[in-house]
Amino acid sequence: VQLQASGGGLMQAGDSLRLSCAVSGRTFINLSTAWFRQVPGKEREFVATIFRSASNSYYADSVKGRFTISRDNAKNTVYLQMDILNPEDTAVYYCAASSTIILSSIRTPEAYAYWGQGTQVTVSS
């Protein structure tokens, strides 16, 4: 499975940005997908996940109400719409996928078998 994240950039506080992650190599509908982020010197942090059925999505408290995860099964792509960005959102954002994720593990990076290369999001104040 290959994941290709894109859409990062340099933004200002209050801006909106949409990240994309194109998935190939395995039937997309069988994969649950997620976004994590990481800043230097810190552990990779869970942002959001959406299950393969697209019926359930979950968010970190820090982004709830501002970020929206979605997926387009026809395009094999998962998105992260980020609104009301603030400087604390600055990080490298990674998309991840798993065919076996369960609810109790969605915030654990090790539970995801497949990862993209990351895209940098920088938010200035």
Side-chain angles (χ1 to χ4, degrees):
V1 178
Q2 293 80 44
L3 289 79
Q4 182 72 38
S6 61
L10 177 61
M11 313 301 293
Q12 293 189 332
D15 282 350
S16 295
L17 185 67
R18 189 178 79 162
L19 305 182
S20 300
C21 178
V23 181
S24 61
R26 187 161 181 167
T27 306
F28 184 65
I29 60 173
N30 292 332
L31 296 170
S32 295
T33 51
W35 289 94
F36 284 76
R37 64 188 183 186
Q38 190 169 25
V39 298
K42 292 190 176 182
E43 295 184 351
R44 196 162 293 189
E45 176 191 24
F46 169 77
V47 175
T49 195
I50 185 166
F51 279 84
R52 54 191 176 188
S53 66
S55 61
N56 293 298
S57 56
Y58 300 87
Y59 298 90
D61 288 342
S62 58
V63 307
K64 199 173 294 183
R66 300 188 299 121
F67 289 11
T68 304
I69 189 171
S70 63
R71 56 189 286 156
D72 186 335
N73 288 341
K75 295 183 177 180
N76 289 1
T77 301
V78 59
Y79 303 99
L80 185 68
Q81 176 66 41
M82 305 187 293
D83 298 319
I84 319 176
L85 285 164
N86 60 60
E88 290 69 39
D89 296 319
T90 295
V92 177
Y93 283 72
Y94 297 91
C95 55
S98 170
S99 60
T100 60
I101 198 74
I102 58 175
L103 183 57
S104 60
S105 302
I106 60 172
R107 293 171 173 79
T108 305
E110 291 76 14
Y112 295 84
Y114 311 108
W115 289 86
Q117 84 289 1
T119 184
Q120 176 72 47
V121 175
T122 303
V123 184
S124 62
S125 58

